[in-house]
Amino acid sequence: MHHEARHLLAIHALRAAVEAALDGKVFYQDMFDDACRFAWDSGYPVLEDRLDDLHVHAHKDWADAQQCLQTLRVALKAGRRGTWALVYRHHADGRKFCEAWIFDGAGEIHERGDGWRGTPTFADITDRMVAMEIFVARKAVETERATAAATARLAELRLSPGTRLRDVEINQTVYSTGIVEAVHPAAGTVRIYMTKRGSRHRFSATISATNLRFRAPDAPDSTRGDATLFGAAATLA
């Protein structure tokens, strides 16, 4: 798990909000943000501490500009969650672009310079930072759940290297035979070497056990291992 996600999910209120939104089948990210925002505001608040604006002229002195930017990063990280500043980058043709930098309190500075309609405010940059945190936490919990389901399914299948399968289906393509090459219990994945009837090509794929569809060699044609396709990546061997 990524460091940022691990840190966020260690805060009980944040994890509980993400879990509840997923259990409630909240799908669209903007609605997911709304469902989790109260938990973020109350359980992991962002408190404003604004530093002086920084103006850099890299076209005049690139090294000096980089040093000024690095000095600002150090100053931001010395503050609390919500320490922020505006960075203005001046170009030789007279154009000026504004970025908003904010410290998340856990070691990362969010440097955002895209899509501002005018001068960004503390509320603007906070909204973007929190939205990104919610997205990262959501993806981490979704991965946790998918991995848990895959490891449970793999244990049920009781596959081992050398196991032979029939009618292995990946990405809606059926391979007549498959041989298990490797089993990864912690990830819930299995690597299979496959052949297709009438083709001289050989294929290899590592897929989640929850996505594996097949028939055992001695099973009747009506019996198949069932699952929902998820992240199968087939490649030519």
Side-chain angles (χ1 to χ4, degrees):
M1 184 187 296
H2 188 274
H3 165 75
E4 183 181 10
R6 186 179 300 109
H7 167 73
L8 294 169
L9 295 177
I11 301 173
H12 175 73
L14 307 190
R15 174 179 279 276
V18 172
E19 297 271 9
L22 289 174
D23 291 341
K25 308 300 182 184
V26 179
F27 177 75
Y28 294 106
Q29 189 59 42
D30 57 348
M31 297 176 67
F32 205 97
D33 292 345
D34 291 341
C36 296
R37 185 59 188 263
F38 177 79
W40 251 257
D41 288 344
S42 58
Y44 198 32
V46 184
L47 304 177
E48 182 174 13
D49 183 7
R50 182 170 180 175
L51 304 185
D52 293 338
D53 296 350
L54 175 64
H55 292 261
V56 294
H57 302 262
H59 63 286
K60 294 182 179 179
D61 190 332
W62 186 89
D64 179 69
Q66 297 309 306
Q67 181 58 53
C68 289
L69 294 172
Q70 183 57 30
T71 298
L72 176 59
R73 292 187 180 96
V74 172
L76 289 169
K77 288 187 176 183
R80 64 190 180 195
R81 174 174 169 82
T83 303
W84 75 296
L86 293 180
V87 176
Y88 291 92
R89 296 180 185 265
H90 297 262
H91 294 258
D93 60 4
R95 290 178 301 157
K96 179 176 67 174
F97 295 95
C98 180
E99 299 176 1
W101 292 17
I102 187 169
F103 180 49
D104 68 359
E108 183 174 348
I109 297 171
H110 293 244
E111 303 177 8
R112 301 298 298 266
D114 55 316
W116 299 120
R117 297 178 180 177
T119 303
T121 65
F122 176 68
D124 292 332
I125 187 61
T126 297
D127 286 346
R128 290 198 179 189
M129 180 178 72
V130 171
M132 179 56 68
E133 290 177 341
I134 293 172
F135 176 80
V136 168
R138 174 185 183 172
K139 292 304 177 183
V141 173
E142 288 176 337
T143 298
E144 285 180 354
R145 292 184 173 197
T147 300
T151 56
R153 174 64 171 162
L154 188 59
E156 292 175 358
L157 293 175
R158 298 181 181 179
L159 299 176
S160 60
T163 301
R164 292 180 175 272
L165 309 172
R166 295 169 57 194
D167 296 342
V168 180
E169 183 177 328
I170 297 177
N171 293 339
Q172 300 181 334
T173 298
V174 178
Y175 301 88
S176 55
T177 61
I179 300 176
V180 176
E181 293 185 308
V183 177
H184 306 287
T189 60
V190 57
R191 184 169 182 81
I192 304 177
Y193 179 80
M194 295 164 292
T195 60
K196 183 184 293 185
R197 186 174 292 107
S199 173
R200 62 185 179 82
H201 295 297
R202 299 296 181 262
F203 304 86
S204 186
T206 298
I207 64 173
S208 167
T210 55
N211 309 325
L212 186 57
R213 296 173 61 87
F214 67 91
R215 274 194 297 124
D218 55 351
D221 288 350
S222 60
T223 304
R224 297 178 63 83
D226 194 14
T228 302
L229 196 63
F230 175 82
T235 58
L236 287 175

